[in-house]
Amino acid sequence: MSEVRLPAEPRTEFGKGGARRTRRAGKIPAVIYGHGADPRHVSLPAREFGHAIKHGGANVLLTLDLEGTDQLAIPKAIQRHPIKGLFEHVDLLAVRRGEKVTIEVPLTIVGEVIRGGLLATENNTVSIEAEATNLPSEIEVNIEDLEIGAHVTAGDLVLPAGSTLAGEADQVLLLIQEAPTAAQLEAEEGAEGAAEPAEGDVEGAAPEATVAE
């Protein structure tokens, strides 16, 4: 897995105002949790953190240079602006080399769905346990040879060396369903159109009254 070194600074301003000032300075408000210690409020350089996530994935291992001391950490929760996509806040989990942690790893689909099939995604991540300095950024799922009606469970995955499944083995992740035909799609669209009230026809509306002169 990727390991990225980032400077981190103690943060003394809290609340919405303090967070806004931190972000205006090109930094991200963050909190480091773990190992029974009190939470530590820090700020991270936004540009460098974004680069680390882009190239190392959401489970990238960070070496934080905090007041001359190195602290290993992984992102636990990342908040982003819903429209701008900017990083607004990060929760970090402090880890040690050799320590095992449980994380959610995204699935990457490879291969093509069988002709006439439709891929349905029930879960796009899987929970695994792995050594903190060897966390996978993704797990590949090959759907090339799956027939219609087949499904992929967490227990079917080929996990990276050193990783073990943390969730239920029978958790369904993917399904191969039969794709609807053009006729079925047209029938569904027709049914939806018939269910819609005609223009100007309001359900429950009183009839117009005519006033006699």
Side-chain angles (χ1 to χ4, degrees):
M1 70 173 298
S2 301
E3 184 172 343
V4 179
R5 190 175 190 84
L6 289 181
E9 298 176 358
R11 187 162 51 91
T12 56
E13 284 191 305
F14 308 107
K16 292 183 177 179
R20 281 195 295 267
R21 283 186 286 274
T22 298
R23 288 191 285 266
R24 280 200 297 267
K27 300 175 182 178
I28 309 169
V31 181
I32 305 173
Y33 299 94
H35 297 151
D38 292 334
R40 286 175 288 172
H41 297 264
V42 300
S43 62
L44 307 175
R47 184 175 180 181
E48 288 85 344
F49 179 80
H51 184 81
I53 293 296
K54 180 179 179 180
H55 295 281
N59 295 319
V60 62
L61 180 65
L62 303 174
T63 300
L64 304 178
D65 182 356
L66 182 59
E67 297 184 305
T69 302
D70 286 351
Q71 172 63 65
L72 288 177
I74 57 174
K76 195 65 176 176
I78 301 174
Q79 296 177 18
R80 304 184 74 161
H81 191 282
I83 298 174
K84 298 179 180 178
L86 302 175
F87 296 102
E88 294 196 321
H89 190 274
V90 179
D91 286 342
L92 299 166
L93 177 66
V95 296
R96 301 187 181 101
R97 296 189 186 278
E99 177 182 22
K100 286 194 172 183
V101 296
T102 300
I103 60 169
E104 291 291 323
V105 181
L107 303 177
T108 298
I109 310 301
V110 296
E112 298 291 333
V113 182
I114 189 172
R115 185 179 180 85
L118 179 70
L119 176 64
T121 302
E122 295 292 314
N123 294 278
N124 55 16
T125 65
V126 65
S127 181
I128 69 160
E129 184 182 65
E131 202 269 319
T133 57
N134 191 32
L135 300 178
S137 58
E138 62 182 15
I139 294 176
E140 286 191 352
V141 185
N142 192 334
I143 62 170
E144 190 72 37
D145 298 323
L146 296 182
E147 300 290 336
I148 293 174
H151 62 272
V152 177
T153 66
D156 295 328
L157 299 178
V158 178
L159 300 180
S163 299
T164 57
L165 192 64
E168 297 294 331
D170 59 358
Q171 179 189 30
V172 176
L173 306 174
L174 306 171
L175 298 166
I176 305 297
Q177 301 175 340
E178 185 175 0
T181 64
Q184 288 173 327
L185 291 174
E186 289 178 3
E188 289 178 6
E189 290 175 358
E192 290 175 359
E196 294 177 358
E199 185 176 353
D201 182 14
V202 180
E203 184 179 354
E208 293 184 4
T210 302
V211 180
E213 295 182 357

